[in-house]
Every structure is written in C-alpha cells, then in structure tokens.
Amino acid sequence: MKAKVLFFDDIFSDIFREKHLKEELAWDDNWIDSISKSLDESTQRIGVSFEIIKSGEIDAWEALIKKENPDIILLDLFWVEQAQQKYNDRNRAVDISMDVMQQVRKSFPSIPVVCYTIKPDYQLMERAYEAGATFFLEKVPLAIPEVHSSLKYILIYLIRQVQKENLIMEPDF
C-alpha cells in the first residue's frame, strides 16, 4: 500500500525559519525528523510506503492538495508568524489552521485531517473537531521514531476508512 501524506507545519515555512534562531528550531526539527523516520520504516516492516510532502505554505493548501492528491493531511495548529503577518496578532495563530481546515472540509470532505499541537486543552480540541479535524494528536516532546510509531497506524486506519467509504459509494456493476 502506498500513502501520500501532505504535512503542513510552520516549521517548513521560510517566514518562520527567518524569524527564529537555529537553536530555537532544533526541537521542532528533531520532532519532524522523528516522524519522518517512523513513517519511512513502515515500508520494510508493515508493507506501507509513506510519501511525505512537507509544506510551510498554508495559504497554498488548495493548490497543493490538487497537485499532490494526498491520502491524508497532517496539520499543525499554530501558525504564529503567519498570524502576525495576516492579522498583526500572534495570538491568533490557531485561526490560520482553523480557517484552512474549514475550507479543506468544504472542498475535500473525504480527506482525513490529523491536527496536532503541544499541550492542547479541551477547548482547542473541540474547536479543531468542530472545524473538521478527523483526529487530534498531542505533539510529544520525545524525538524518537518509536514514540511516534503509533502515528503510522492511525494514518493507515484513517486512509482505510476513506477507502471503504469510497467503495461503498461506487456502484458494483
């Protein structure tokens, strides 16, 4: 099985990288590397090949989805630098992802969207689900692929659910 993951995170954006020192980015970079390694190891062990498309261009979400045709989307909830640029208010960082998620749901309702952030609270999780999140993850501070191993099984499950729904909708002639 092949699965394409469109991975939206501000850590991939030029605007974020320009505003932060390399030392400030180390934790996020290690976390991203850990997830990538965990998904890369899947091919050998469980027969699923994940292709990861990383993007920090949240405003280009629609063009990227149309171009890449992902099976699933991973979406960071906080886009601090983009919120500063768009709203002149860093405190509205979550508004960026919530707006995009609602638009994704309207245009691509069947694509699973997995949201994540560090230390979410109940209200944030509820807001994400109301905006259209399929699943919610806490960004675990350990950057060890084995810690993130369960993510691949969650992704596989969500992709299979969509595949089953698509089979049910297609007429069997």
Side-chain angles (χ1 to χ4, degrees):
M1 177 176 151
K2 289 187 176 193
K4 191 180 278 193
V5 179
L6 184 51
F7 199 164
F8 283 110
D9 196 309
D10 61 347
I11 194 74
F12 305 130
S13 74
D14 292 337
I15 186 174
F16 190 84
R17 290 192 124 14
E18 290 168 2
K19 299 274 183 179
H20 298 274
L21 299 172
K22 191 171 186 162
E23 296 80 32
E24 295 174 315
L25 302 173
W27 187 86
D28 280 311
D29 285 341
N30 287 334
W31 184 78
I32 297 292
D33 287 345
S34 175
I35 291 199
S36 296
K37 286 178 187 171
S38 176
L39 294 178
D40 285 346
E41 292 170 357
S42 298
T43 304
Q44 298 165 7
R45 234 180 74 243
I46 60 174
V48 177
S49 173
F50 287 98
E51 178 184 354
I52 304 170
I53 294 90
K54 299 174 183 174
S55 178
E57 303 302 320
I58 192 73
D59 292 332
W61 67 268
E62 187 172 22
L64 279 166
I65 291 173
K66 287 179 179 177
K67 177 185 173 197
E68 299 296 343
N69 194 27
D71 296 297
I72 198 157
I73 296 171
L74 287 177
L75 178 62
D76 182 16
L77 285 183
F78 284 91
W79 295 78
V80 178
E81 301 305 335
Q82 287 78 357
Q84 180 64 37
Q85 193 173 53
K86 185 173 183 176
Y87 305 118
N88 200 30
D89 185 355
R90 295 170 68 86
N91 294 322
R92 294 190 62 191
V94 75
D95 292 345
I96 301 289
S97 57
M98 295 298 169
D99 291 345
V100 166
M101 196 165 9
Q102 289 174 339
Q103 294 171 36
V104 167
R105 280 292 151 245
K106 287 179 188 170
S107 301
F108 305 94
S110 65
I111 297 176
V113 179
V114 176
C115 296
Y116 61 89
T117 192
I118 297 172
K119 299 187 188 220
D121 59 32
Y122 176 78
Q123 289 151 338
L124 180 60
M125 287 189 297
E126 285 302 308
R127 189 173 172 198
Y129 284 123
E130 287 172 12
T134 309
F135 198 82
F136 196 96
L137 292 174
E138 183 171 352
K139 198 172 179 180
V140 179
L142 292 174
I144 303 167
E146 291 78 13
V147 171
H148 301 107
S149 185
S150 59
L151 175 61
K152 66 184 154 207
Y153 300 110
I154 293 166
L155 299 180
I156 292 167
Y157 173 79
L158 294 172
I159 292 167
R160 287 187 177 200
Q161 289 302 108
V162 169
Q163 290 172 340
K164 284 181 188 176
E165 289 172 13
N166 288 340
L167 286 175
I168 291 170
M169 289 182 189
E170 293 176 10
D172 187 25
F173 295 103

